[in-house]
Amino acid sequence: MPPRKTGHAKAQSFPAPNHDHAACATDALARAERLCRARGVRFTEIRRCVLKAIWQSHAPIGAYDILAGLNAKGARHAPMVVYRALEFLQANGFVHRVASQNAFIGCAHPDEGHDSQFLICRKCGTVAEIANAAVSTALANAAPGFAVESRTVEISGVCPHCKDHSHA
Ligand SMILES: [Zn+2]
Ligand SMILES: [Zn+2]
Ligand SMILES: [Zn+2]
């Protein structure tokens, strides 16, 4: 068995609480725009608005909260409109659904297919995505004969930033 990887990837994958998040969101929207153009699909206004709402933070947000947020700004979207936009964003890899939270987070690397492992901080709600191929391989090897269809893993715990604060 290969040695267990510790710390490194995890610590880096959690965005620091005071990082320039506006830059994260701007980058994500620009990336989506670029990929949509390359794929010949339309990045409509509602798709952009929903993606922007999801990139408000690194904590997952549910469909109803997205809808409420958009409609609070004067829009009058029906839930179905938001659901369809979410389906599109998921299908294109721009967002992932975090099943245990029934909510969505933005993906920072939608240009490449990957299995996701989500580290979910139960204190601040931040979710970090690691896409570690070794984890996927280990899972596949651990389930011989089982036709794996989803390799998404959700792990709850306390992020490095919350952990540092708790004994301050
Ligand atoms: Zn950010
Ligand atoms: Zn991803
Ligand atoms: Zn945290």
Side-chain angles (χ1 to χ4, degrees):
M1 215 204 265
R4 238 181 109 178
K5 271 197 181 172
T6 51
H8 182 74
K10 283 175 202 167
Q12 289 200 334
S13 53
F14 269 96
N18 56 357
H19 74 286
D20 181 7
H21 184 66
C24 292
T26 308
D27 287 354
L29 287 162
R31 207 157 40 222
E33 174 120 43
R34 200 173 57 233
L35 282 171
C36 283
R37 209 178 308 130
R39 292 169 183 171
V41 293
R42 289 179 62 218
F43 195 40
T44 59
E45 191 55 29
I46 183 69
R47 290 167 177 175
R48 173 191 298 278
C49 288
V50 170
L51 185 59
K52 201 171 167 190
I54 291 171
W55 273 100
Q56 265 167 40
S57 76
H58 291 279
I61 182 169
Y64 269 92
D65 289 333
I66 295 169
L67 179 69
L70 295 181
N71 285 352
K73 289 178 195 150
R76 284 174 157 268
H77 296 301
M80 194 46 81
V81 172
V82 170
Y83 288 139
R84 280 205 210 101
L86 283 168
E87 267 172 36
F88 170 87
L89 296 172
Q90 265 191 287
N92 278 276
F94 301 143
V95 305
H96 295 298
R97 181 166 175 271
V98 181
S100 63
Q101 317 270 307
N102 190 20
F104 299 85
I105 59 156
C107 176
H109 37 99
D111 36 355
E112 45 201 76
H114 54 274
D115 296 323
S116 304
Q117 298 97 33
F118 299 115
L119 308 177
I120 304 164
C121 178
R122 62 177 166 75
K123 291 205 169 169
C124 66
T126 296
V127 170
E129 180 186 6
I130 50 175
N132 187 326
V135 174
S136 302
T137 308
L139 283 174
N141 291 343
F146 182 73
V148 175
E149 290 173 346
S150 159
R151 294 189 186 86
T152 302
V153 179
E154 300 185 12
I155 305 157
S156 68
V158 180
C159 79
H161 311 295
C162 290
K163 209 164 75 193
D164 291 346
H165 273 265
S166 64
H167 50 74

